Amino acid sequence: MTDYTIRRARRHDIGAIVHMLADDQLGATRDDPGNLDPYLRAFDDIDADPNQLLVVAVAEGEPVGTLQLTIIPGLARRGSLRGQIEAVRIRADHRGSGLGTGIMEWAIDESRRRGCSLVQLTSDISRTEAHRFYERLGFTPSHTGFKFKL
Amino acid sequence: MTDYTIRRARRHDIGAIVHMLADDQLGATRDDPGNLDPYLRAFDDIDADPNQLLVVAVAEGEPVGTLQLTIIPGLARRGSLRGQIEAVRIRADHRGSGLGTGIMEWAIDESRRRGCSLVQLTSDISRTEAHRFYERLGFTPSHTGFKFKL
């Protein structure tokens, strides 16, 4: 079991996070750690918004896992909050270490602490291994996730 | 074709919106227009957040359609914004009138205006008619939507 700390991401973590986003079958074509400017601008927006929590799991001083939790207020379900998880990544050399479970359980617990009634995420249909992982954590694949690229 | 206006929801629309949420196969067990207090509290949070847009489509002075658009900043896809659509409802007597298409196209256009690179939503796997509707609008059912009730 890896020894790690989960904390809010800071500006100097962005390079490591973008490397994790790009080191991925689907992210490789979409993300580029060679130019961090657009990521740093996005980080400032995320960091200024109290409903956004970008976190990193740190091992031996380095970010080796990340996810973003967004708290969404809504009317449905008697005006309840929902927690939404995006951009879950574990650095290749830390997969299978329990870190994925740890960071996801952190996000579920944080959603509960903030009074959410539901946690949700979507996962590309090609990520069958990830789907089994989410089901083991207690998630139900009850929905179809639709995307529309602009 | 119904003549309607799409505008930001106001506090006095909440009763009509909650009626639409509850008048639904799945929402009937989750929502209750008999007590609006929790919905009004949620509305105040939504209305105060510049990344939340709760809208109504109004016909003859009455809300007959609604959806919520959330703008989510993120690092993935070179620090791009995404628009997320939740709680789409059309009042029963206005279905098939083109209103659903109109309000969804409004949300797609608004996401584009705000610089989003993607619009996303999830739909319960049992809502097969809604799925065909989203595909006709140009959405791709590329993801599995996972939910975890707290």
Side-chain angles (χ1 to χ4, degrees):
Chain A
M1 195 77 178
T2 313
D3 202 27
Y4 59 83
T5 313
I6 295 170
R7 62 160 171 78
R8 203 176 176 96
R10 297 169 195 148
R11 218 160 189 275
H12 66 252
D13 298 319
I14 298 306
I17 296 173
V18 177
H19 268 282
M20 286 189 266
L21 293 176
D23 180 23
D24 174 84
Q25 192 188 343
L26 299 173
T29 58
R30 303 191 298 222
D31 284 295
D32 170 20
N35 174 12
L36 290 184
D37 291 350
Y39 299 100
L40 290 168
R41 278 195 294 273
F43 171 74
D44 292 339
D45 285 346
I46 293 166
D47 201 46
D49 183 340
N51 285 329
Q52 307 295 339
L53 267 168
L54 178 69
V55 298
V56 283
V58 177
E60 295 169 358
E62 276 186 87
V64 294
T66 181
L67 63 75
Q68 181 176 343
L69 175 64
T70 301
I71 306 296
I72 304 177
L75 292 186
R77 299 169 185 263
R78 298 184 164 77
S80 74
L81 299 171
R82 55 181 75 197
Q84 177 160 306
I85 297 171
E86 298 267 4
V88 183
R89 293 292 187 285
I90 303 297
R91 206 172 76 183
D93 58 341
H94 282 258
R95 287 177 201 152
S97 68
L99 186 54
T101 302
I103 198 167
M104 286 294 297
E105 286 178 345
W106 177 90
I108 294 164
D109 288 346
E110 179 67 17
S111 299
R112 197 178 275 120
R113 277 190 291 274
R114 287 174 172 241
C116 295
S117 68
L118 191 77
V119 184
Q120 64 185 22
L121 61 89
T122 69
S123 180
D124 192 283
I125 50 174
S126 68
R127 299 197 198 262
T128 49
E129 210 174 316
H131 295 194
R132 283 192 292 271
F133 168 68
Y134 295 129
E135 291 199 59
R136 279 198 302 275
L137 283 168
F139 283 85
T140 306
S142 54
H143 284 60
T144 302
F146 290 87
K147 310 278 171 176
F148 186 124
K149 280 184 198 156
L150 296 181
Chain B
M1 196 75 177
T2 313
D3 202 27
Y4 58 82
T5 313
I6 295 170
R7 62 161 173 77
R8 203 175 174 96
R10 296 169 196 150
R11 218 159 191 273
H12 66 252
D13 299 319
I14 298 308
I17 296 173
V18 177
H19 268 283
M20 287 188 269
L21 294 175
D23 181 20
D24 173 86
Q25 195 189 338
L26 300 173
T29 57
R30 303 190 299 222
D31 284 296
D32 171 19
N35 174 15
L36 290 184
D37 292 350
Y39 299 99
L40 290 168
R41 277 195 295 273
F43 172 75
D44 292 339
D45 285 347
I46 294 166
D47 200 46
D49 183 340
N51 284 329
Q52 306 294 337
L53 267 168
L54 178 68
V55 297
V56 284
V58 177
E60 296 170 354
E62 278 185 85
V64 296
T66 182
L67 63 73
Q68 181 175 342
L69 176 64
T70 301
I71 307 296
I72 304 177
L75 292 187
R77 298 168 185 266
R78 298 182 164 75
S80 74
L81 298 172
R82 53 182 75 197
Q84 176 159 306
I85 297 171
E86 297 267 3
V88 183
R89 294 292 187 284
I90 304 296
R91 207 172 73 182
D93 58 341
H94 283 258
R95 287 178 201 154
S97 68
L99 185 55
T101 301
I103 198 167
M104 286 294 296
E105 285 178 346
W106 176 89
I108 294 165
D109 289 346
E110 178 67 18
S111 299
R112 198 179 273 119
R113 279 190 290 275
R114 287 174 172 242
C116 295
S117 68
L118 190 78
V119 184
Q120 64 185 22
L121 61 88
T122 69
S123 180
D124 192 283
I125 49 175
S126 67
R127 299 196 198 264
T128 50
E129 212 175 314
H131 294 194
R132 283 192 293 271
F133 168 70
Y134 295 128
E135 291 199 59
R136 279 197 303 276
L137 283 167
F139 283 85
T140 306
S142 54
H143 284 61
T144 302
F146 290 88
K147 310 277 171 175
F148 186 123
K149 280 183 200 158
L150 298 180

